[in-house]
Each structure stands twice: as structure tokens, then as C-alpha cells.
Amino acid sequence: GFLPQVTISGQATYQSDVTKVPVSLPGFTIESASKDQYKLLADVNQLIYDGGITREQKLYQQLNASVEEQKVEVELYKLKERINQVYLGILYLDEQLKQVGLVKSDINTGIKRIEAQVANGVAFRSSLNMLKAELLKTDQRSIELQSSRKGFVDVLSLFTGQPLTADVQLEKPLLPAAPITTEIARPELKLYSEQSKLISQQDKLITAKNLPKASFFLQGGYGRPGLNQLKNEFDFYYIGGLRLNWSLGGLYTKKKEKELTAVNKQIVEVQKETFLLNTNTQLKQQAAEIEKLEKLITTDSEIISLRVSVKDAAKAQLENGVITANDYLKEINAEDQARQSLITHQLQLLQAQINYNTISGKQ
């Protein structure tokens, strides 16, 4: 805005009449200007003072860029929740695969003992076949889990932009057992702050655009006639000086424009307060969820301990022929269900803890 503004223009005209001097003196003739006239101008305008509008416009554009960048940060932050779900989904499947391995181990133990009993003629082959069929079902379950895991890994690779193999091993995040802070550090808060600054800058821009403006100008030209209208020939000429402009039309709307910026600023503050209210509500819900899951996990551990003792007793009973292979499978499945509940609750707890950090902006 403060660089010299140069304009070049040209004009050729023909007019029906020209100014004449109706005076006749002996031996002296005042020549009239020609009806065809020519003009070539170079106009240079150098701004001296613009009421600060250029500076305020520059600051406005910088703040607007910051607002747009922060909007991108907000959108990117929303991806964290999706990535968390995929990552934890893989961890959940890993725990499921470990549990499948334990079930297969228990079934194989039963198969070996039944095989010995069948060889000795104290057990039916149908019992052995039942355990083998259950082992195959467990293998199918493992295949399904591996396939699901590969799909999750492919999605995680897409989100992170990093090549990941199907057998990639993920670390389980270590998080505090309970929320330790309620401080919120979300990118939305910075966005509201940047928007508020932008609106304040609009207010300054309104003030600046209604102030007077001063500039220096220089006009140089070549044409016929020049500045001397009585000299009917081509000539060079120039004009220089100072120019003052003050547009008063903006004063009619200045008050309303400032009121509008004030309303917009209040809207941003209300949006910020609403966001904080909703975020704090979500944090309280997640804190309650964490407390509930911690209690469930304690109970799960006790249930598993009891189920393991029952299964071990059933294993001995199977070896002695007291119970059937079907009874033994029931105890294996009961322990499996108990461990499945523990796995689910552990991953749900991790999810709740990560959600808490994500909601608060600590992740």
C-alpha cells in the first residue's frame, strides 16, 4: 500500500470550439489553441498517511491465516479419536489371540488324556472327536481374529502414513490409573482465542478506514497544448503537490459496524463457554466410566481365579474318568468367558483413560 502507484494514460481529442482571446492589436496576434489536442500523462501517487488502514489490514490477514490454520488443527485433532479406536482394536485382538492360545492349550491337554484313555479302552472315541472338533473351531476363531487384525493394521497404516506389516507389534500405552487433572488444553480453545483476536482487529480496521488519508502526487505529461493554453504547440509539463482525502460516508455506518463486531465477539465467547461445558461433562462421564471399569476388573480377576481352580479340578476328574469330555469343555469355556470379560474390561478401561486424555487435550 505504501509503494508508489504509477498510472500512464494517453488521450487524443477533437473539440468543436476552443477558447479565443477577442483582442486584436496592431502587429501582435494571439493564436488560438488547436481543436485537435493530444495528451500523454504519467501520474505518480505516493501515500504518506492512510489512517493506519494498511497496517491494520496486514494484521487482519495474518490473524485470519492463524484462524484458518487453527481450524485445520481442530480437524486433525478429531482424527485422534479414530486412530485411538483402531489402535486399541488391534490391542484387543492381540489379547483375544492370546486367550485363544490358552484355550487351545487346555483342549490339547484334554485330547492327550482322552487319547490315552481310548487306547486303554476306558473312554469312547466320540469324546476324543468332540475335543478335536472343538480344537478346529478354536483354529477357525484364530483365523478370523488374524484376518480382522490385518484389516485394522491396514487402516492404521493409512491414517499414519507409515507402512505397517500384518504382524506388527503394538505397545500398550501406560496411563495413570485415574484422571489427575481437569485442565482443558484442546485446540478449539486456541481457535476461539484467534477468532476473538480477528474480530478485535476488524474493529480497529473500521476505525482506520474512516480516518483521513494524505499522499504526495506528481504528474508529468507531454501534449498540445501544455499547461500554457496560449502556446499552441507540443510541450512537456508537470504538476506536483499534496493531496488530502477524507471520505465521510463511512461515518454513517461506523457505529453499527462496531456493534456488529461486538455481537460477533460475544457469539465466540458463548461458543467457547458451551464447548467448555460440554467438554467438562464428557470428562465427568469418562471419570465415572474409569471408576466403574476398575471395580469390574477387580471382580473379573477373582472370577478367573475361581474358574481356573474349577477347570484344574475338572482336568483331574477327566483323567480319572469321573466326568466326560463335554463336562471338561464346559469348564474350559466358562474360564474362557471369564477371561474374555477381563480382556474386554481392561481394554475398555484403557479406552476410557485415553478418551479422558483426548477430551482434555492432553494427548
Side-chain angles (χ1 to χ4, degrees):
F2 279 90
L3 292 176
Q5 304 298 311
V6 181
T7 304
I8 296 177
S9 61
Q11 179 178 295
T13 62
Y14 182 85
Q15 56 196 63
S16 61
D17 201 358
V18 294
T19 302
K20 299 177 181 178
V21 179
V23 176
S24 179
L25 298 175
F28 182 75
T29 303
I30 300 177
E31 185 180 358
S32 300
S34 300
K35 292 184 178 182
D36 56 320
Q37 299 184 0
Y38 307 91
K39 187 184 296 183
L40 180 64
L41 295 175
D43 203 331
V44 180
N45 191 76
Q46 174 61 58
L47 186 64
I48 300 173
Y49 175 72
D50 66 349
I53 190 169
T54 300
R55 182 185 69 252
E56 302 301 342
Q57 283 178 331
K58 182 179 178 180
L59 291 173
Y60 179 84
Q61 292 301 330
Q62 290 172 342
L63 289 171
N64 188 59
S66 297
V67 168
E68 294 303 319
E69 288 176 1
Q70 197 58 31
K71 285 181 179 179
V72 175
E73 291 296 329
V74 169
E75 292 303 316
L76 287 175
Y77 195 82
K78 292 178 181 178
L79 286 177
K80 287 182 178 289
E81 182 178 356
R82 176 63 176 147
I83 294 173
N84 288 342
Q85 292 174 348
V86 175
Y87 193 96
L88 290 174
I90 296 173
L91 293 180
Y92 178 73
L93 291 172
D94 286 342
E95 294 298 323
Q96 292 277 333
L97 287 167
K98 290 178 184 178
Q99 178 57 27
V100 168
L102 293 175
V103 172
K104 288 173 68 174
S105 177
D106 288 334
I107 294 175
N108 280 320
T109 299
I111 288 175
K112 290 178 181 178
R113 294 182 180 182
I114 292 294
E115 282 177 340
Q117 291 177 359
V118 171
N120 293 326
V122 295
F124 293 108
R125 183 165 292 277
S126 60
S127 297
L128 179 61
N129 290 338
M130 183 177 63
L131 287 176
K132 288 183 176 180
E134 194 67 24
L135 183 62
L136 290 174
K137 284 178 62 179
T138 307
D139 287 335
Q140 286 182 332
R141 181 178 167 194
S142 180
I143 292 170
E144 290 176 350
L145 292 172
Q146 289 285 3
S147 177
S148 297
R149 188 184 192 279
K150 183 181 183 302
F152 274 93
V153 170
D154 289 341
V155 173
L156 186 62
S157 176
L158 182 64
F159 273 122
T160 60
Q162 299 180 10
L164 300 175
T165 59
D167 59 349
V168 63
Q169 297 300 309
L170 304 182
E171 293 184 3
K172 194 173 183 178
L174 297 177
L175 298 172
I180 58 176
T181 178
T182 57
E183 181 183 356
I184 299 174
R186 290 279 292 275
E188 287 89 344
L189 294 180
K190 186 176 180 182
L191 174 60
Y192 294 133
S193 176
E194 294 296 328
Q195 287 177 330
S196 182
K197 291 179 184 177
L198 183 64
I199 294 171
S200 295
Q201 187 60 30
Q202 285 179 323
D203 193 72
K204 294 179 181 179
L205 201 55
I206 292 170
T207 300
K209 77 176 184 179
N210 287 291
L211 293 177
K213 299 166 181 59
S215 61
F216 168 78
F217 72 93
L218 176 65
Q219 186 182 81
Y222 179 75
R224 187 185 68 182
L227 296 181
N228 185 353
Q229 295 291 322
L230 299 180
K231 187 178 180 181
N232 190 26
E233 59 186 55
F234 285 92
D235 195 11
F236 289 96
Y237 59 90
Y238 70 90
I239 301 174
L242 295 175
R243 182 180 289 125
L244 177 67
N245 292 322
W246 193 359
S247 177
L248 302 179
L251 298 177
Y252 302 141
T253 58
K254 179 181 177 181
K255 181 179 178 181
K256 291 297 182 183
E257 287 176 337
K258 283 184 170 289
E259 288 177 357
L260 182 59
T261 58
V263 170
N264 289 335
K265 201 166 187 178
Q266 290 176 0
I267 290 174
V268 172
E269 287 300 316
V270 171
Q271 290 174 341
K272 178 181 177 180
E273 291 175 8
T274 303
F275 172 78
L276 287 173
L277 176 62
N278 292 335
T279 303
N280 281 315
T281 300
Q282 291 175 342
L283 288 176
K284 290 185 180 297
Q285 291 173 342
Q286 288 300 319
E289 183 73 7
I290 290 171
E291 184 179 359
K292 179 194 75 175
L293 290 168
E294 287 175 341
K295 293 178 180 178
L296 289 175
I297 288 173
T298 300
T299 307
D300 286 333
S301 299
E302 295 174 359
I303 293 173
I304 290 174
S305 179
L306 294 171
R307 286 296 181 188
V308 169
S309 64
V310 172
K311 182 200 70 178
D312 290 341
K315 189 183 300 181
Q317 291 172 343
L318 177 67
E319 188 174 2
N320 294 323
V322 177
I323 63 173
T324 64
N326 189 48
D327 294 329
Y328 177 63
L329 276 178
K330 286 181 181 179
E331 300 305 331
I332 291 177
N333 290 331
E335 182 192 344
D336 180 42
Q337 289 299 318
R339 291 187 181 277
Q340 291 290 344
S341 295
L342 176 62
I343 291 171
T344 301
H345 291 151
Q346 286 176 333
L347 267 297
Q348 285 177 341
L349 174 61
L350 186 57
Q351 176 77 72
Q353 291 172 330
I354 291 176
N355 285 345
Y356 190 94
N357 286 341
T358 303
I359 292 169
S360 64
K362 296 299 189 302
Q363 186 186 15

